[in-house]
């Protein structure tokens, strides 16, 4: 078989490693074969390609050393940057959040898997990697060591020559950005290429925007994306624009962009998802659930939407309805500690006690992350309390604290239970610890006041 | 008549505030919030109306940690303009407009969202809103108008840095720029142009077609339409102006001015008389007006650069106010009477002396009087003996008609001397009855010269003052000279006017040794030489109406066309222009501009990348502080290097930026002048075409527009 044909076929079948090998062999014989060169480049790129729309970390709090966010004290309901202290309204549908501010929803989203703000990272010396560096980190994870030096010497690449070559420039750009992680050179190529095509290709504008975002030049990125949208309205472009506004903490502008996009792409699931997430972050659960319902009408298999509707019902005191949604998820094949945990809670509150413990058992079996494990034990303590078994509840909470020693609600509940047992001083100590771990949590403060007034 | 008015409230913001960047906006539609720009690239919003912390209530702003009434906005670069207006149609709440050196951000404070964020290549110097909620941005050489969506809907080229903008009713816009002009535009047309002695720093539109202005040399004044009502000069310069009825007069509001030394004064609009004065501890940063105490009437709020805020309110029209006016008038009349009596006495003395002259043996000289028939004569010429003097100039020759001498001459004129006046006093030995004064006129504008001459005898102790006012024609710095080679550049246009009238125009606007007359039946030609740079100017009018101005100087051509159109009251004039040098220049400038923009992009990326490095290094250094101190040192050393190269990069960027501004300015200058070789709608249309050509970077198109006025 023709090796080139084979390589192409391998590329299509996503066997990139083998494809690269064959390409290398051909290139040894014919070093100037551009088609093969291009294919190898694409294979290398595809192997490490990351969909940064899905992997993007939420950067709102990452304002260490730069301040793209305009307002420092915006009005409530106009910002995502709400410290947990603001979020104390106990209206229906308000959900508890973890100590990092992530709603405990049972749905892991790109933006919720964050680990504190930049400054917090500094304090814990976990080390922060800058924007451009992160892109590299995502990319380098899969790079294998190459035998004879790098495939392309970036510094020797004649960017202005390749920028005019319409067949090669896009592949080179992606190779530079994803494989090499060289944002500066990638951007230079993009600038030259967009000039070469007289600013008529929206694709380059979006790529430029990607580079700008990686370099933290958010406003420039905004301009590029807006210009691209003017040329070609595209769902991806809109989502990027929405992300930018979320990043500069202007959720209302983002919402407006969502609505504009929905006029052009009515009922588009990905845009509606963005809108639903936004409204949820803005503490408007009713509106959020409305959008999630629309999503489910369009796509009945959308896990995120189903889970969110289920959660809405749960906190709306309709655990039976919630149970139905979660069971649907289970039927769809989802199988995670969070889901079983939620199922267990729903069973508990809808009085299906026979299933409760079984669900939690599964959840514990599946929970590998100590934080999740802690949450499951914390929830189990509620089961114990519901059963009237205080000592079991204390046991559960202690286990929860074993897994996560900074679980403030657990400390609080432990304090209440100990107070019930008459150990006031111990309770007080626990409450103080809880307050120390999460000062914004209202319960320990309130309880401490009560204790103080009693004595 | 100083009246003591105490501030009704004072407070400290505790921030350094940039002078002139103070505004007030009702961001929620009802409560005014003082908004200022600080020297740390932040915008501060002071809101005293916030209700006590109640987070359940939506619609109330969060209190900031340190000062509970302040909220800050991060802008990240130097704020150059600040304004708050209701820009959205059918929405009464104010929108904050923030200008920085390169961008404009239109921001809805209430909803924390951008209406738009736009890059302004021409920079942002000042911002206002007018002509139907259009956001007008004054840049380094143009004024742009944006609607609330950020669409570019209006554009005029100005020619130099815009220093201030103000809107008058019926779509009129006043623009002041660093070339000392105040221009009044109606729609896109230039309606009138006023020349000042220095760059005008502030403009304030007032009712009844008046507007107040302040000049960077310390002058403030008020114009009504195009005539100046009054002006005063001060050592300090005015930072901010506002019309506010502080004294509760029935005659309308007064002009409140904040000065750079912290003085605040209140003057009448019509005469400039000071009615009230107060001082702040440091320079005034801005003066605004709002109902700040929620008591239903507007207060005057003064902010100093150290963050001191003082509020004054309208005093009641006190009964003694009218009393005061009466007394004032009586005092004024009395002093007038005194002056007239003095004058009368002088005249009587003089008459007595002159009547006795036959009998007296003493000469005039001893008595300090001069013959009653003494007259002062004035002649203005362009000096012809160009070879003998170093520099060509306009000559003002004055002489008396008898043996009296001119002791000294004081000349007042705007814009031709360093100050506003010029004194000539020859040595005692050279005193004579005639004197010539050279004048160097930097610009082609009509100038009024007020001349005061001291006349007497060489030994007199007292001198008589003669006053003469002479208007120099617009084009004084040109003299007739026969030339054989016409300049290669020209403007051609068609006017339907008798040659006699054009002849009159030439005689009125040039200083010619003898008035030119119509010698030929079918054409009129005049060749001149500029005294400034010895370039040649040829003006030719044909009987058919075809008129051509030959000159290499497009600025001169523009001035001539405008002056002629004004004289002949032409509403619209289309013309063809051919200025090869300017075209070549424009091509080079456009090329340079695109190069600069390209370089700017690269420099920006460099800086952003370095920022990323710094971020990583700081974090890494913190980490090493715990584990490994030697590595930490290494980190900080590297950080220092990056920092240094960042500073270098910044210097390069600054250089690049100022070059870009200069280039942009030159381009806009050429376009503006080219538009002014046309008149009326043709000029406006041409500017529109130019804007499109520049937007598309169409150099050839632009040059064609310059030539014909059409794309």
């Amino acid at each position: 078989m023709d090796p080139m044909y084979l390589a192409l076929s391998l590329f299509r079948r996503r066997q990139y490693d083998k494809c690269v090998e064959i390409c290398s062999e051909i290139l040894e014989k014919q070093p100037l074969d551009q088609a093969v060169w291009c294919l190898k480049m694409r294979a290398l790129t595809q192997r490490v390609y990351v969909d940064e729309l899905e992997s993007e970390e939420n950067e709102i709090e990452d304002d260490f050393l730069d301040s793209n966010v305009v307002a420092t004290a915006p009005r409530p309901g106009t910002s995502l940057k709400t410290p947990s202290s603001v979020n104390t309204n106990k209206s229906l549908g308000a959900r508890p959040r973890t100590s990092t501010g992530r709603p405990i929803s049972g749905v892991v989203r790109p933006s919720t898997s964050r680990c504190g703000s930049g400054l917090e990272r500094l304090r814990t010396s976990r080390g922060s990697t800058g924007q451009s560096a992160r892109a590299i980190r995502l990319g380098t994870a899969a790079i294998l060591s190459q035998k004879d030096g790098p495939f392309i010497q970036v510094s020797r690449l004649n960017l202005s020559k390749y920028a005019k070559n319409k067949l090669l420039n896009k592949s080179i750009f992606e190779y530079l950005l994803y494989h090499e992680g060289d944002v500066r050179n990638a951007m230079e190529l993009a600038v030259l290429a967009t000039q070469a095509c007289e600013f008529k290709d929206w694709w380059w504008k979006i790529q430029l925007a990607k580079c700008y975002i990686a370099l933290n030049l958010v406003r420039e990125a905004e301009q590029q994306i807006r210009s691209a949208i003017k040329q070609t309205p595209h769902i991806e472009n809109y989502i990027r624009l929405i992300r930018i506004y979320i990043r500069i903490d202007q959720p209302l502008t983002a919402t407006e962009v969502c609505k504009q996009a929905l006029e052009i792409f009515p009922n588009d699931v990905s845009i509606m998802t963005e809108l639903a997430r936004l409204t949820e972050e803005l503490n408007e659960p009713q509106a959020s659930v409305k959008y999630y319902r629309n999503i489910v009408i369009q796509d009945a298999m959308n896990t995120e939407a189903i889970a969110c509707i289920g959660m809405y019902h749960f906190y709306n005191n309709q655990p039976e309805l919630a149970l139905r949604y979660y069971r649907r998820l289970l039927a769809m094949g989802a199988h995670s500690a969070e889901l079983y945990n939620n199922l267990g809670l729903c069973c508990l509150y809808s009085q299906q006690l026979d299933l409760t413990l079984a669900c939690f058992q599964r959840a514990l079996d599946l929970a590998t992350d100590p934080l999740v494990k802690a949450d499951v034990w914390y929830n189990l303590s509620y089961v114990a309390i519901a059963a009237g078994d205080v000592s079991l509840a204390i046991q559960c909470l202690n286990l929860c604290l074993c897994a996560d020693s900074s679980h403030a609600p657990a400390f609080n509940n432990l304090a209440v239970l100990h107070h019930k047992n008459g150990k006031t001083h111990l309770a007080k100590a626990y409450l103080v610890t809880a307050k120390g771990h999460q000062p914004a949590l209202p319960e320990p403060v309130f309880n401490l006041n009560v204790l103080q007034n009693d004595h | 008549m100083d009246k003591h008015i105490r501030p009704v409230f004072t407070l400290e913001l505790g921030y350094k505030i940039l002078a002139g960047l103070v505004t007030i906006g009702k961001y929620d539609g009802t409560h005014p919030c003082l908004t200022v720009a600080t020297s740390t690239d932040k915008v501060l919003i002071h809101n005293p109306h916030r209700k006590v912390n109640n987070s359940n209530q939506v619609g109330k702003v969060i209190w900031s940690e340190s000062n509970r009434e302040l909220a800050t906005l991060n802008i990240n670069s130097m704020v150059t303009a600040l304004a708050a207006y209701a820009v959205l149609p059918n929405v009464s709440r104010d929108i904050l407009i923030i200008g920085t050196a390169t961008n404009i951000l239109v921001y809805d404070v209430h909803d924390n969202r951008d209406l738009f964020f736009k890059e302004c290549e021409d920079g942002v110097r000042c911002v206002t809103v007018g002509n139907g909620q259009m956001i007008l941005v004054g840049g380094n050489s143009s004024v742009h108008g944006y609607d609330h969506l950020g669409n570019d809907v209006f554009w005029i080229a100005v020619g130099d840095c815009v220093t201030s903008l103000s809107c008058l009713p019926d779509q009129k816009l006043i623009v002041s720029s660093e070339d000392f002009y105040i221009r009044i535009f109606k729609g896109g047309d230039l309606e009138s142009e006023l020349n000042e002695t220095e760059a005008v720093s502030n403009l304030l539109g007032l009712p009844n077609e008046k507007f107040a202005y302040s000049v960077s040399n310390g002058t403030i004044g008020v114009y009504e339409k195009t005539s100046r009502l009054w002006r005063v000069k001060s050592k300090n310069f005015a930072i901010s102006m506002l019309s506010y009825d502080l004294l509760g007069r029935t005659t309308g509001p007064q002009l409140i001015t904040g000065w750079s030394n912290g003085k605040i004064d209140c003057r009448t609009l019509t005469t400039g008389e000071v009615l009230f004065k107060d001082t702040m501890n440091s320079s005034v940063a801005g003066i605004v007006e709002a109902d700040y105490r929620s008591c239903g009437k507007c207060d005057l709020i003064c902010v100093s650069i150290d963050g001191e805020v003082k509020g004054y309110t309208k005093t009641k029209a006190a009964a003694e106010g009218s009393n005061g006016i009466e007394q004032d008038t009586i005092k004024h009349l009395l002093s007038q009477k005194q002056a007239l009596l003095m004058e009368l006495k002088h005249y009587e003395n003089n008459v007595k002396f002159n009547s006795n002259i036959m009998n007296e043996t003493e000469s005039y000289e001893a008595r300090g009087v001069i013959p009653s028939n003494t007259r002062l004569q004035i002649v203005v010429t362009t000096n012809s003996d160009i070879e003998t003097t170093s520099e060509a100039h306009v000559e003002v020759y004055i002489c008396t008609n008898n043996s009296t001498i001119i002791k000294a001459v004081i000349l007042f004129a705007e814009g031709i001397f360093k100050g506003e006046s010029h004194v000539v006093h020859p040595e005692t030995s050279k005193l004579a009855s005639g004197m010539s004064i050279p004048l160097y006129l930097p610009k082609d504008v009509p100038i009024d010269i007020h001349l005061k001459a001291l006349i007497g005898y060489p030994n007199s102790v007292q001198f008589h003052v003669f006053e003469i006012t002479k208007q120099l024609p617009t084009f004084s710095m040109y003299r007739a000279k026969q030339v054989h080679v016409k300049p290669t550049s020209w403007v051609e246009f068609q006017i339907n006017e008798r040659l006699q009238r054009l002849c009159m125009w030439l005689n009125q606007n040039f200083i010619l040794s003898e008035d030119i007359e119509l010698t030929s039946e079918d054409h009129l030609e005049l060749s001149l030489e500029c005294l400034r740079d010895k370039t040649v100017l040829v003006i030719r009018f044909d009987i058919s109406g075809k008129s051509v101005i030959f000159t290499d100087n497009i600025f001169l051509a523009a001035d001539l066309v405008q002056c002629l159109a004004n004289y002949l009251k032409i509403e619209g004039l289309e013309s063809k222009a051919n200025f090869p040098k300017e075209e070549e220049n424009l091509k080079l400038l456009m090329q340079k501009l695109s190069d600069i923009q390209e370089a700017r992009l690269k420099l920006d990326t460099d800086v952003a990348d370095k920022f990323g490095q710094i971020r990583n290094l700081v974090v890494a250094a913190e980490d090493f502080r715990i584990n490994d101190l030697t590595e930490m040192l290494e980190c900080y050393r590297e950080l220092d290097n990056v920092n240094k190269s960042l500073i270098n990069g910044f210097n390069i960027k600054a250089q690049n930026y100022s070059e870009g501004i200069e280039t942009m300015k030159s381009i806009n200058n050429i376009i503006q002048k080219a538009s002014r070789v046309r008149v009326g709608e043709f000029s406006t249309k041409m500017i529109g075409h130019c804007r499109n050509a520049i937007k598309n970077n169409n150099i050839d198109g632009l040059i064609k527009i310059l030539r014909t006025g059409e794309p």
Side-chain angles (χ1 to χ4, degrees), chain B residues 156-323:
Chain B
I156 42 178
V158 174
D160 208 330
C161 292
V162 177
T163 54
S164 181
L165 288 170
S166 184
C167 287
L168 290 179
D170 14 296
Q171 303 227 321
K172 275 190 191 170
L173 175 69
I174 333 172
V175 182
S176 67
S177 55
E178 279 181 4
D179 53 5
F180 306 174
Y181 279 105
I182 300 173
R183 295 184 175 89
I184 302 172
F185 291 91
K186 183 164 185 174
D189 301 342
L190 182 66
E191 200 176 67
S192 46
E193 212 174 33
L194 309 163
N195 190 15
E196 277 298 326
T197 49
E198 282 266 356
V200 174
S201 54
N202 255 315
L203 290 169
L204 173 70
L206 298 171
N208 305 332
E209 299 212 49
K210 284 182 199 149
F211 65 90
Y213 71 101
S214 71
V215 183
S216 55
N217 65 3
T219 311
I220 62 165
V222 169
Y223 272 99
E224 180 161 12
K225 284 180 186 165
T226 55
S227 58
R228 191 157 49 209
L229 292 177
W230 57 270
R231 60 175 177 152
V232 283
K233 204 174 162 182
S234 152
K235 265 188 296 185
N236 306 295
F237 50 90
I239 304 259
S240 176
M241 296 188 297
L242 184 79
S243 75
Y244 177 75
D245 189 11
L246 185 65
L247 300 171
R249 290 272 173 103
T250 46
T251 48
Q254 295 96 45
L255 179 70
I256 316 282
T257 318
W259 298 84
S260 58
N261 62 344
K263 192 175 69 179
I264 304 157
D265 57 22
C266 163
R267 296 163 188 275
T268 59
L269 284 183
T270 42
T271 59
E273 186 197 356
V274 178
L275 301 172
F276 162 69
K277 258 192 277 191
D278 199 3
T279 348
M280 312 272 281
N281 292 328
S282 52
S283 170
V284 173
I287 298 181
V288 285
E289 170 193 12
D291 175 16
Y292 219 51
R293 295 174 297 157
S294 306
C295 62
K297 58 179 180 177
C298 283
D299 298 335
L300 179 74
I301 303 163
C302 303
V303 186
S304 81
I305 56 165
D306 285 340
E308 186 189 4
V309 180
K310 277 187 183 177
Y312 300 89
T313 194
K314 186 191 284 191
T315 50
K316 298 214 170 58
E320 52 102 25
S322 56
N323 215 349

